[in-house]
Amino acid sequence: MKAMHGLCALRGNLVFAPSLGELTVIPKGYILTRDGVVEGIYQNLPAGCPAEVINYGDALITPSFSDLHLHAPQFPMLGLGMDLQLLDWLNTYTFPTEARFRDVEYAQTVYHRLAKELIRRGTTRVCIFSSIHREATHVLMQELEKAGVTGYVGKVNMDRNSTPDLTETTEESIRETLRFIEECCAYENLRPILTPRFIPSCTNELMAALGEMATAHPAVPLQSHLSENQDEIAWVKELHPDCPQYWQAYAKYGCWGEHTIMAHCVYSDEAERAAIKEAGVWAVHCPDSNNNIASGIAPLRKMLEEGLNVALGSDIAGGAKLSMTDVATQAIRLSKLRWLESGKQEAFLTVREAFYLITTAGQAYFGAQPGFGVGEPLHAVVFSDGKFAYNPGLSLEERLERVLYLADKSTITAVYSAGGQAEL
Amino acid sequence: MKAMHGLCALRGNLVFAPSLGELTVIPKGYILTRDGVVEGIYQNLPAGCPAEVINYGDALITPSFSDLHLHAPQFPMLGLGMDLQLLDWLNTYTFPTEARFRDVEYAQTVYHRLAKELIRRGTTRVCIFSSIHREATHVLMQELEKAGVTGYVGKVNMDRNSTPDLTETTEESIRETLRFIEECCAYENLRPILTPRFIPSCTNELMAALGEMATAHPAVPLQSHLSENQDEIAWVKELHPDCPQYWQAYAKYGCWGEHTIMAHCVYSDEAERAAIKEAGVWAVHCPDSNNNIASGIAPLRKMLEEGLNVALGSDIAGGAKLSMTDVATQAIRLSKLRWLESGKQEAFLTVREAFYLITTAGQAYFGAQPGFGVGEPLHAVVFSDGKFAYNPGLSLEERLERVLYLADKSTITAVYSAGGQAEL
């Protein structure tokens, strides 16, 4: 990371989403920063402004992306095991891969690459699952911090229904989590998050302890999985026959509230969605994962219309796409199939809306304002789209659409995170 | 293109699909060629074989890919207009874009890039639509031939229901097509194909003339679109009330037979699929396009089980992915949703099957044998997958899966086409 000192202005075609379905474009505009903090967004810099101008020419500058659900130790199995479904896929690929992270050196190799790849794809904010290993989780956090990725990192809790080499005792899980939370004061831009893997992985005793931790540490949020797959839902019902709905198995232990993240919600019905909304829980839609491991298509349009907090997640390695631009277009693709399935009743996601979800919606979880927030450290991505197939005269909105559909990491030529410039 | 002289052996991990669902892997094997023609596939070269060995080390070598349906003049609009459906999308984006190809210089710029991009992604065989412009179609063929792309190219016919600057008179369309066919003797590895855009674009008179041409030129096949979208199907029914099924509107003019390509077939029911099978027509599945312009999910599993000739197409720019590896994984993704929709009755496409469809199945259209055909000019792609996230000990089949899901053009380090090495 390279710090930004003094007054500095990024010049380029600014594009951001102030709200769902709205787009603001400022051709050849300026983002003025002081010591990396946004001072203002301008079409023309104030007269006499002594800022150093970094001129990105005809490039597009957008807010950077937020990935609200991904599994760091599954990075080595990206694009693997896709002929399997959730529970088989967990046992055959996921658990053996995660078990390797007992080895801190292996973690170092993988997490160094992952952190770089996130930045190269413009993702500067994450809510990320680590494995059960406290040491490896710190390795992850060190690598993320070095690369410039900010957000929340969770040491995973699982004291049942896993492979023997990936199971903690309840006592161990509680102790290691408490220790992990304390140790996290070492990071500048990363915070801990409680991370019970999902209901089948955690005993009632462990869930109760995590609920108590959530109460004792109000600044530490909680992330988990909800209603992803029909077999999983049936299993949760068996484990918690007193809970007619999946979400109640979290709620009864105090693992359900404002700032809680629940990934997937594919089968969340009206009642479950109402519970999500009422509690201020965040529903994280992971389209590529839901498609790959054949979970289903989440009712994204309903969630948006009902006013739930919604953002997107890559969910690697159920998702095979680390780039949030790819995740955004996969969300559009899935929404079109849902639109067809619903007899064209549930409107599909537009390009503007998908862009909103990976920028403004995601960053709101971290307390950031829409677009480039004045008074906040700069988070931005510069796209040099000149190499796309020759098509002069496109509007900035059309160019944004092409960036979402076509960009790979070579299209991204600069990334700013937390008020500094990241190394690509 | 660099010619291959004398005896030459490519060494690497050979992977190919002898039939649907089967995979052959030969770790550290050899493809022996003489003057670019495959002489044999070996685990070890015959003793004393004096071949020059090109050693690709631990890389994967697969047959190159076939794209059986794409629109060359839509390359500049890749990833554009995705909030629209087929008929609106055609009028707003496609027809104005294609009309530009009256300008031969513009065609030169675009087609040079397209041909290079196809090769860089390992596509060496295509059945491709040009625009209505004969001159620009030759520009396309020259660029494809220079880059090393082989196959069939069609000057599009459309004499109704288009924008004024993209409509031919019937007479003009017939005359230009005949002239185009004659001029095509100039190419070494490219052949002409009759290309009525689709039923609504061609008057009955034009269709009848094309049917006569098909009879007069048995070596010139025909490509078009079939049952892509429900509005389109209704429109065809209005135009041809005597045809209870869409395919009959082609068949009644003699535009339906062995070697005919019909893209999409999303809504082809049992009767239409039986007609496809009986005639030996090729159904080309274009998953990304069908998803993006919200056409629907084709009954791919049924087509395969019923024994239709099936291959895959990128269908750019309805499809936003030019790489056939991406098209293969999008086909898997869509098939999983169809599997869910069918109450888990229609099995989803496996990784092996998707790989078969973009290699062995596609190349069969061009008369090539499965895998690397002995006695045929070499078509192959070399994948250097070492940069994927660190995961030692994967099988070659697992590495192939990751290549399909993760490869971008930087993963492809060599491409062979028609017995020569292409420039990347």
Side-chain angles (χ1 to χ4, degrees), chain A residues 25-247:
Chain A
V25 301
I26 306 178
K28 307 274 157 80
Y30 295 85
I31 306 173
L32 183 63
T33 62
R34 182 186 300 272
D35 298 332
V37 173
V38 178
E39 288 231 322
I41 306 296
Y42 299 97
Q43 178 65 71
N44 296 297
L45 281 182
C49 174
E52 175 201 350
V53 174
I54 305 175
N55 193 343
Y56 287 111
D58 196 36
L60 257 60
I61 307 180
T62 75
S64 65
F65 307 125
S66 296
D67 185 346
L68 262 69
H69 182 65
L70 75 165
H71 294 266
Q74 294 175 24
F75 186 51
M77 45 175 287
L78 202 65
L80 263 189
M82 290 306 184
D83 287 350
L84 303 176
Q85 285 166 74
L86 179 61
L87 301 179
D88 288 338
W89 174 84
L90 283 173
N91 288 312
T92 311
Y93 280 97
T94 313
F95 291 161
T97 303
E98 292 199 8
R100 288 197 200 158
F101 287 79
R102 179 186 307 110
D103 176 349
V104 175
E105 261 181 70
Y106 180 74
Q108 183 77 48
T109 307
V110 171
Y111 289 154
H112 177 72
R113 290 202 199 185
L114 172 62
K116 295 296 282 183
E117 290 298 311
L118 282 165
I119 285 293
R120 284 178 184 146
R121 288 168 166 82
T123 299
T124 68
R125 291 176 171 108
V126 296
C127 288
I128 193 165
F129 279 52
S130 175
S131 57
I132 61 170
H133 313 95
R134 188 177 45 77
E135 290 88 347
T137 306
H138 283 304
V139 171
L140 172 61
M141 293 176 89
Q142 285 149 15
E143 290 297 331
L144 292 174
E145 188 126 298
K146 254 191 280 177
V149 183
T150 71
Y152 292 96
V153 181
K155 176 214 138 355
V156 168
N157 301 101
M158 41 197 316
D159 66 345
R160 68 172 174 183
N161 291 320
S162 177
T163 49
D165 57 351
L166 196 70
T167 307
E168 313 162 291
T169 64
T170 308
E171 185 276 329
E172 198 179 1
S173 187
I174 296 169
R175 188 190 62 222
E176 290 289 285
T177 304
L178 284 169
R179 186 167 162 196
F180 168 68
I181 292 173
E182 279 167 28
E183 290 165 346
C184 279
C185 58
Y187 306 103
E188 194 182 339
N189 289 310
L190 291 163
R191 304 275 171 271
I193 184 167
L194 295 170
T195 308
R197 184 177 207 111
F198 70 149
I199 292 292
S201 304
C202 300
T203 59
N204 299 354
E205 195 190 341
L206 178 55
M207 287 303 291
L210 291 170
E212 282 166 28
M213 275 185 228
T215 309
H217 297 84
V220 180
L222 182 143
Q223 61 182 352
S224 197
H225 296 90
L226 182 68
S227 298
E228 176 174 5
N229 168 296
Q230 287 171 314
D231 294 344
E232 170 217 14
I233 293 169
W235 192 11
V236 171
K237 216 161 251 176
E238 272 174 42
L239 294 168
H240 293 273
D242 57 319
C243 295
Q245 293 215 304
Y246 193 159
W247 71 273

Side-chain angles (χ1 to χ4, degrees), chain B residues 65-352:
Chain B
F65 307 124
S66 296
D67 186 347
L68 262 69
H69 182 66
L70 74 164
H71 294 265
Q74 293 175 25
F75 185 52
M77 46 176 284
L78 203 65
L80 264 188
M82 290 306 184
D83 287 349
L84 303 176
Q85 285 167 75
L86 179 62
L87 302 179
D88 288 338
W89 175 85
L90 283 173
N91 289 311
T92 311
Y93 280 97
T94 312
F95 292 161
T97 303
E98 292 200 9
R100 287 196 201 161
F101 286 79
R102 179 186 306 111
D103 176 351
V104 175
E105 262 181 70
Y106 181 73
Q108 184 75 50
T109 307
V110 171
Y111 289 154
H112 177 72
R113 290 202 199 186
L114 171 62
K116 296 296 282 184
E117 290 298 311
L118 282 165
I119 284 294
R120 285 180 184 144
R121 288 169 166 82
T123 299
T124 68
R125 290 178 171 108
V126 295
C127 289
I128 193 166
F129 279 53
S130 174
S131 57
I132 60 171
H133 313 95
R134 188 177 45 77
E135 290 88 346
T137 306
H138 284 304
V139 171
L140 171 61
M141 293 176 88
Q142 287 149 14
E143 290 297 332
L144 292 174
E145 188 127 296
K146 254 192 280 177
V149 183
T150 72
Y152 293 97
V153 181
K155 176 214 134 3
V156 168
N157 300 100
M158 42 196 318
D159 67 344
R160 66 171 175 186
N161 291 321
S162 176
T163 48
D165 56 351
L166 195 71
T167 307
E168 312 162 291
T169 65
T170 308
E171 185 277 328
E172 198 180 0
S173 187
I174 296 169
R175 188 190 63 222
E176 290 288 285
T177 303
L178 284 169
R179 188 168 161 193
F180 168 68
I181 291 173
E182 278 168 29
E183 290 166 346
C184 279
C185 57
Y187 306 103
E188 195 183 337
N189 290 310
L190 290 163
R191 304 277 171 268
I193 185 167
L194 295 170
T195 307
R197 184 176 207 111
F198 71 148
I199 292 291
S201 303
C202 300
T203 60
N204 299 353
E205 195 190 341
L206 179 55
M207 288 302 291
L210 291 170
E212 282 167 27
M213 275 185 230
T215 308
H217 297 83
V220 180
L222 183 142
Q223 61 184 351
S224 197
H225 296 89
L226 182 68
S227 298
E228 176 175 3
N229 168 297
Q230 287 172 315
D231 294 344
E232 170 216 16
I233 293 169
W235 192 11
V236 171
K237 216 161 248 176
E238 272 173 41
L239 294 168
H240 294 273
D242 57 319
C243 294
Q245 293 216 303
Y246 192 159
W247 70 274
Q248 295 170 311
Y250 291 108
K252 76 172 169 179
Y253 295 110
C255 296
W256 185 258
E258 215 174 337
H259 230 212
T260 296
I261 285 187
M262 285 290 154
H264 305 306
C265 310
V266 173
Y267 293 98
S268 295
D269 63 7
E270 212 178 321
E272 190 159 273
R273 295 198 303 270
I276 291 170
K277 189 183 174 188
E278 201 191 322
V281 164
W282 283 67
V284 179
H285 177 46
C286 305
D288 197 39
S289 169
N290 296 341
N291 194 341
N292 286 328
I293 51 180
S295 300
I297 309 182
L300 178 61
R301 176 58 62 192
K302 287 184 177 163
M303 291 180 190
L304 292 170
E305 282 176 354
E306 292 164 2
L308 274 58
N309 293 320
V310 179
L312 298 188
S314 67
D315 193 23
I316 68 158
K321 307 277 190 185
L322 189 61
S323 292
M324 291 308 292
T325 50
D326 287 331
V327 173
T329 55
Q330 288 300 119
I332 295 174
R333 287 183 172 93
L334 272 201
S335 76
K336 286 175 175 169
L337 299 169
R338 178 116 191 167
W339 173 77
L340 283 170
E341 233 178 47
S342 70
K344 308 192 179 180
Q345 292 306 299
E346 292 181 33
F348 58 71
L349 200 66
T350 64
V351 169
R352 286 179 170 206

